[in-house]
Amino acid sequence: MSLKQRAILVSLTVSKPKVSEKDKGATRETALLNNASEAAVAVVKKLYPKHLFDPIVAAESAARRYVESVTAPWARGMALLPSSLVFTFRQQMQSHKLRFDQAVTAFLNNMAAVLQEAAKQQGGLFDPSVYPDMATLKAQFSFSVSFHPIGTESDVVLELEKESLDELREEVAQNVRNTLVESSKAVYQRMFDAVQRIHTQCAKEDGKIYDTLTGNLDELLVVLPELDMSGNEAFRQLCVTARQSLAIPAEAIRNVPGVRERTAAEAARILEQMKGFL
């Protein structure tokens, strides 16, 4: 199966209005007061109270974390999504978009209170003229997910001499191969980092064993083999082994005699095997 059949490129684009602005008057006054150049001073005010804008930022951050969790890096702004995860991905991103839209709606519906709080926080620096009208402000929020096919050498169709076209196609093919190698390395590194955290905490007698230490490992080790577009069977099998030996409840590591030590030893063994992939 070709790479074009096994995966698709996705991108998440989120836009928000600017949340801060340089106050020229305050900057000038501060520079004069301190006998400094205006070029060396900048008084920046936050336009919106942080606690009122934070739900929007949190919704975007949650969406980006999810995208990162099920994709591998490809090119700037693009990530590689396995075809086996497309259906689930679309459902999850619809939920994240809904959360973002709801946060934006709540913010806009509360704009009178937002501006009142902003005026209170900024004091004499508050300038109502810097705030856009509601229609403009609403239009500055957006959340979109785009899907793009993966380009390969066969997609290059240009009016060039055959020799030049063949050279260009080979260059495209080499770029894809190089990007694929880097993408797989990033996938391997994610597993290495997760296992290393487990080893670090379990190898110390007083190491903190939080529920999150192993809580997300099972899901991660299901996704990572799908993200490895090189189809490395040895890596897939190592993920299976790691799921069986490391994806155990943190409570067992904390309370069951011998489990911490066995987990540390198993993590060390898997880390040693991982060196061959990095």
Side-chain angles (χ1 to χ4, degrees):
M1 186 182 297
S2 69
L3 179 60
K4 292 177 67 174
Q5 294 173 303
R6 287 185 289 148
I8 192 170
L9 296 175
V10 297
S11 62
L12 170 61
T13 303
V14 177
S15 65
K16 303 184 297 293
K18 63 179 181 180
V19 296
S20 62
E21 182 175 81
K22 179 180 177 180
D23 190 304
K24 295 181 180 179
T27 295
R28 188 178 305 111
E29 290 177 6
T30 301
L32 288 172
L33 182 63
N34 292 278
N35 194 29
S37 167
E38 286 187 40
V41 177
V43 176
V44 178
K45 60 185 178 184
K46 294 181 178 179
L47 299 179
Y48 304 102
K50 184 176 181 298
H51 68 283
L52 297 178
F53 202 84
D54 271 353
I56 299 173
V57 176
E60 177 189 356
S61 298
R64 294 196 182 281
R65 285 196 301 271
Y66 172 71
V67 172
E68 291 176 359
S69 74
V70 296
T71 62
W74 189 253
R76 184 174 182 179
M78 296 283 189
L80 197 65
L81 176 70
S83 56
S84 60
L85 301 179
V86 169
F87 180 74
T88 301
F89 179 85
R90 292 184 67 187
Q91 286 186 317
Q92 290 295 320
M93 291 311 293
Q94 286 173 0
S95 297
H96 283 293
K97 185 179 187 306
L98 177 61
R99 177 184 172 186
F100 179 86
D101 290 343
Q102 288 175 335
V104 170
T105 298
F107 177 78
L108 294 175
N109 287 344
N110 197 36
M111 187 51 58
V114 169
L115 293 179
Q116 184 177 16
E117 181 66 18
K120 179 180 177 181
Q121 291 186 357
Q122 295 175 33
L125 299 180
F126 181 71
D127 179 4
S129 68
V130 303
Y131 294 89
D133 59 64
M134 284 294 290
T136 302
L137 183 62
K138 183 178 181 180
Q140 291 175 350
F141 289 100
S142 69
F143 183 110
S144 63
V145 179
S146 301
F147 296 87
H148 312 268
I150 298 174
T152 63
E153 65 276 13
S154 62
D155 297 319
V156 180
V157 182
L158 299 172
E159 292 186 4
L160 298 173
E161 295 293 333
K162 183 180 184 304
E163 183 177 352
S164 297
L165 183 57
D166 288 344
E167 289 179 358
L168 179 58
R169 283 175 170 168
E170 175 53 33
E171 184 176 342
V172 170
Q174 186 60 51
N175 288 341
V176 171
R177 288 193 292 268
N178 292 342
T179 305
L180 192 58
V181 168
E182 293 303 313
S183 175
S184 292
K185 285 184 178 180
V187 171
Y188 303 153
Q189 189 66 49
R190 283 174 64 179
M191 178 175 173
F192 185 89
D193 292 344
V195 175
Q196 189 174 55
R197 284 194 294 271
I198 293 174
H199 177 263
T200 298
Q201 296 307 112
C202 290
K204 298 185 295 186
E205 289 187 8
D206 59 347
K208 301 296 184 182
I209 310 297
Y210 297 108
D211 290 346
T212 54
L213 184 65
T214 58
N216 301 324
L217 188 64
D218 185 70
E219 181 179 350
L220 177 67
L221 293 176
V222 170
V223 170
L224 290 185
E226 300 298 321
L227 292 179
D228 179 22
M229 292 297 127
S230 69
N232 191 321
E233 185 59 29
F235 177 69
R236 180 177 292 273
Q237 289 302 317
L238 188 57
C239 286
V240 172
T241 299
R243 285 183 68 197
Q244 294 171 343
S245 58
L246 297 180
I248 56 179
E251 184 178 357
I253 299 176
R254 289 193 295 263
N255 301 320
V256 178
V259 172
R260 178 191 289 262
E261 292 75 15
R262 287 196 299 271
T263 302
E266 182 62 15
R269 187 181 70 81
I270 292 174
L271 287 174
E272 189 63 31
Q273 293 182 60
M274 281 298 303
K275 291 179 180 178
F277 295 96
L278 300 175

